[in-house]
Amino acid sequence: MESETAFADEELFPRDQPWDAVFDALSVSHSEFWLVADDMLGADLVSAVPEGDTLKGNGAAVGIPTQLSARRIAVVLSVWEEPAPDGRGVLLGTSRITAPGRELSLVNVEGREPGPVLVLPDEGEHEVKVWRLAPAEAGGPERYDVRVWPADREDSFRSG
């Protein structure tokens, strides 16, 4: 799978392990993609368009900026039972998303065909934190590490 091999050189979770993780690869054409809750019905992507190089969320979607447009990206999306340890790379920010149906997925401007779905252990509001990692090799895909955890957990972060 293209998305998993993009992270083959990266020890993503050196100490703690997520509750679950999925890998995804998609094309972006407008320097952004979104993390969306459930089947995306009612998600307003326009109000979640990222500004500059930081995340922007609206509760139902989180806009994630890319460095370039019209290119492939690889993403690891993980869920944690407690606040996630810090990832590597450039922190793009934090946001929140509400998933009443316990499912998260990634979409692009074109609304792409459904990709992998991350099923959360619980419904409700979740914290989101995103890092951009350098490509594994010259000309390789941009890589993103997206970590989510229940928002009602203690708000202290562990470094990792």
Side-chain angles (χ1 to χ4, degrees), residues 84-148:
D86 287 341
R88 296 186 178 144
V90 176
L91 177 63
L92 299 179
T94 61
S95 189
R96 287 186 177 218
I97 192 166
T98 301
R102 297 182 42 217
E103 294 182 350
L104 297 177
S105 58
L106 302 169
V107 298
N108 59 14
V109 168
E110 293 78 19
R112 75 183 287 229
E113 292 299 315
V117 172
L118 180 67
V119 178
L120 305 172
D122 295 306
E123 62 184 23
E125 190 174 45
H126 286 72
E127 298 281 345
V128 178
K129 209 168 186 182
V130 180
W131 290 266
R132 180 186 299 125
L133 290 78
E137 56 189 38
E142 289 181 17
R143 303 181 304 165
Y144 294 85
D145 181 353
V146 180
R147 299 180 183 202
V148 301

Side-chain angles (χ1 to χ4, degrees), residues 29-98:
S29 57
H30 295 283
S31 301
E32 62 210 7
F33 66 103
W34 290 268
L35 175 67
V36 296
D38 303 321
D39 59 9
M40 204 178 85
L41 290 176
D44 175 14
L45 299 183
V46 174
S47 69
V49 170
E51 299 171 355
D53 208 24
T54 59
L55 304 182
K56 185 172 182 188
N58 64 13
V62 176
I64 303 169
T66 62
Q67 289 185 313
L68 301 172
S69 61
R71 82 174 295 166
R72 295 284 290 167
I73 62 168
V75 182
V76 57
L77 175 58
S78 59
V79 61
W80 301 75
E81 293 180 289
E82 300 293 330
D86 287 341
R88 296 186 178 144
V90 176
L91 177 63
L92 299 179
T94 61
S95 189
R96 287 186 177 218
I97 192 166
T98 301

